Amino acid sequence: MDHTTFGSGVVAQVGEYRGVPSVWIDFDYGERKGLALEFGLPHLGPHKRFRRRTPRQKDMQCSVCGAVPVVLNVDGQKFCEAHESEFRP
């Protein structure tokens, strides 16, 4: 997928978040974002055939193990799926 602001990525999950239909995308730059379909869908489209992928940002990796994609918590810390649940406030 391509997002007009965040660049290229891969759909990781589709479902509901707090009752709102949502999609989670692992963006190539290293972050996973959850987007409400109502607002995110107009900005999403299929990969263009000859479009380059968004380069990975070196600072977008898990603060514990260095894995990607990362999920930012409310304190601005970066964690992969494995470590996100361990560091919830």
Side-chain angles (χ1 to χ4, degrees):
M1 306 225 84
D2 284 331
H3 187 278
T4 57
T5 302
F6 304 121
S8 57
V10 178
V11 174
Q13 181 180 345
V14 177
E16 285 193 0
Y17 177 73
R18 296 185 178 180
V20 177
S22 302
V23 62
W24 287 262
I25 300 176
D26 292 343
F27 287 100
D28 292 339
Y29 70 88
E31 185 176 5
R32 174 175 286 174
K33 287 193 174 284
L35 306 171
L37 288 179
E38 178 182 1
F39 303 108
L41 201 56
H43 300 280
L44 293 172
H47 278 299
K48 304 286 190 266
R49 185 171 178 190
F50 296 107
R51 185 173 177 162
R52 285 191 285 167
R53 298 177 69 113
T54 307
R56 182 161 117 38
Q57 294 178 2
K58 293 178 182 172
D59 64 332
M60 279 296 173
Q61 60 188 18
C62 178
S63 299
V64 177
C65 67
V68 292
V70 297
V71 178
L72 300 177
N73 69 11
V74 294
D75 296 324
Q77 297 168 315
K78 301 171 194 139
F79 298 112
C80 64
E81 286 182 337
H83 293 109
E84 176 196 15
S85 61
E86 297 175 22
F87 292 93
R88 294 212 176 219

